[in-house]
Amino acid sequence: MGTTVSSFTRSSSGVDGLPSIDMALQQQKALLLPSKGAPFALGTRAIPKPRLGQVLIKIESAAINPCDYYIEQYGVLLDGYPGIAGNDGAGTVEVLGEGVTSLQKGDRVLFQCWYTIDRGTFQQYALADAPRAAKIPKTLSFDEASTIPSCVITAAIGLYAPVGARGGAALTPPWAPGGLGKYRNQPALVIGGSSSVGQFALQFLKLSGFSPIITTASTRNIEYVKAAGATHVIDYHTTPYPALPGAIAGITTQLVPVIYDAISSEDSQKAAWALLAPHGKLIVTLQPVVGKPGEEAEDGKRLVHVFGNVNDPDNVRFGDELFSVLTGLLESGAIKPNKVEVVEGGLAGLPKAVERVGKRDVSAVKLVAHPQETP
């Protein structure tokens, strides 16, 4: 794709199929991973052209996720090098690929990447599959919208996608007939409710009718998690994981049938598995240390190891369903974005920001960069 690392070049020639883009932008700025284990490097590469069913998006905001750190540090997920990280983006549709009718040029959309160089969001333009690019309501900024894709997807797949090796708990989603409020008077627990994924898990559990909705969080984030749907908050500083059963017993006498562990440390998983009701579902986002993904334990408990990407072949069908209703959920306020902290320097500010996220030096906020503001 004409990739150049650490060298910003301009071209005066036009780009086939890109009449709306300034001719000087045939080469876009990108934050590249030149080889496995190499650090991020600013560079340029050609603006990709959308294929059948795709759109080209001018990225205004790109949010950072922990997996971006793992991609840089360990070379996971990417299909080759040079590669581009970045899972979440929000911007404007610039070019429609063949067969696209659900979107128009100029639409404001949010989307999730796939792990090819043309689709990572740490660049100024990227491709997305049209069915899984959701229009952004007028009430949301690009920054707010960019906090949504991967985390809302991870929460939704974990709770509502069909059972599978990396599937979900197969609950009836709140947007399906009979799903809204279906699980009234059943308790649920979210470990790490102030995390980006935890925030959306709380919101979905509220829509599904669970009550009480218990979460762990620090005292400074109590109002944040309650606004998302938590009815009870346990301070993890004063109540370590081994003490969770006693704290929860003081809130409800019922066994907990659904636990979403957005932290997924060894200790949190072990505590959650011990708390889980027979035939209950424990959803984790990192490597499981309890249960067997996709299999039921002797008492019917099921461990769900979620892979939160709607572009994975196993998740495309569910992703199309989720994205068909996502704009409506955002317009109604049923689903709300994370808090935003803007990273200065556009793409140039991302390396340090990715390190902060990877080392968990961020709390109750989503870091967002503006690729178009790269010096």
Side-chain angles (χ1 to χ4, degrees):
M1 297 299 296
T3 300
T4 304
V5 177
S6 301
S7 173
F8 292 109
T9 60
R10 299 286 188 176
S11 171
S12 59
S13 62
V15 181
D16 182 31
L18 303 179
S20 65
I21 297 175
D22 189 315
M23 297 301 183
L25 289 179
Q26 180 177 0
Q27 293 289 315
Q28 63 167 323
K29 298 176 183 179
L31 188 67
L32 297 155
L33 287 167
S35 60
K36 187 173 183 178
F40 288 117
L42 279 171
T44 60
R45 64 180 303 266
I47 297 172
K49 185 175 180 179
R51 303 177 182 87
L52 178 70
Q54 293 183 327
V55 291
L56 177 71
I57 299 169
K58 180 182 180 182
I59 303 173
E60 301 294 345
S61 301
I64 303 169
N65 293 281
C67 66
D68 297 317
Y69 179 75
Y70 304 142
I71 288 171
E72 181 199 20
Q73 294 293 312
Y74 308 115
V76 298
L77 297 174
L78 295 183
D79 70 342
Y81 291 90
I84 292 180
N87 275 254
D88 291 333
T92 304
V93 174
E94 288 288 332
V95 181
L96 304 177
E98 183 182 351
V100 174
T101 59
S102 58
L103 297 171
Q104 299 296 322
K105 182 182 181 306
D107 282 345
R108 301 166 69 245
V109 295
L110 60 87
F111 67 104
Q112 186 184 41
C113 83
W114 189 233
Y115 303 104
T116 63
I117 193 168
D118 288 343
R119 299 183 64 165
T121 61
F122 288 177
Q123 56 188 329
Q124 293 179 314
Y125 294 85
L127 300 179
D129 294 328
R132 293 177 299 285
K135 294 180 182 179
I136 302 171
K138 294 179 180 179
T139 53
L140 295 184
S141 67
F142 284 123
D143 286 348
E144 291 172 318
S146 72
T147 72
I148 293 167
S150 288
C151 295
V152 83
I153 287 164
T154 302
I157 288 176
L159 290 167
Y160 305 118
V163 171
R166 295 297 300 271
L171 302 178
T172 302
W175 59 82
L180 188 64
K182 178 177 179 177
Y183 301 95
R184 288 183 181 88
N185 301 319
Q186 297 185 45
L189 170 65
V190 175
I191 297 178
S194 65
S195 68
S196 296
V197 172
Q199 279 283 293
F200 290 112
L202 289 170
Q203 293 179 62
F204 279 127
L205 290 168
K206 181 179 180 180
L207 291 174
S208 289
F210 284 93
S211 181
I213 300 174
I214 307 164
T215 192
T216 63
S218 65
T219 53
R220 70 176 181 272
N221 292 324
I222 287 176
E223 294 307 315
Y224 188 46
V225 295
K226 283 191 171 181
T231 60
H232 297 77
V233 184
I234 298 172
D235 184 355
Y236 63 82
H237 292 295
T238 58
T239 307
Y241 293 127
L244 270 180
I248 290 173
I251 297 170
T252 178
T253 58
Q254 293 179 273
L255 297 175
V256 183
V258 176
I259 300 177
Y260 201 114
D261 186 356
I263 301 300
S264 296
S265 67
E266 181 175 349
D267 289 342
S268 68
Q269 289 188 44
K270 288 180 177 178
W273 190 250
L275 277 166
L276 192 65
H279 302 285
K281 311 293 193 303
L282 169 60
I283 302 143
V284 300
T285 57
L286 299 179
Q287 188 64 34
V289 297
V290 296
K292 294 182 179 179
E295 298 181 17
E296 286 190 355
E298 290 183 2
D299 57 359
K301 292 181 181 179
R302 182 178 289 276
L303 187 284
V304 176
H305 183 200
V306 62
F307 181 48
N309 195 299
V310 290
N311 298 304
D312 179 78
D314 290 338
N315 293 332
V316 164
R317 184 174 179 180
F318 179 82
D320 288 350
E321 177 187 338
L322 174 62
F323 269 67
S324 73
V325 299
L326 184 54
T327 300
L329 291 170
L330 296 171
E331 283 177 337
S332 69
I335 295 295
K336 299 178 176 63
N338 293 159
K339 291 181 181 177
V340 172
E341 179 184 325
V342 175
V343 174
E344 298 296 328
L347 296 173
L350 277 170
K352 288 184 177 179
V354 168
E355 184 177 13
R356 282 182 60 196
V357 173
K359 294 183 175 180
R360 296 184 180 271
D361 188 26
V362 177
S363 176
V365 72
K366 194 79 168 173
L367 302 189
V368 174
H370 298 158
Q372 304 303 324
E373 296 177 5
T374 305

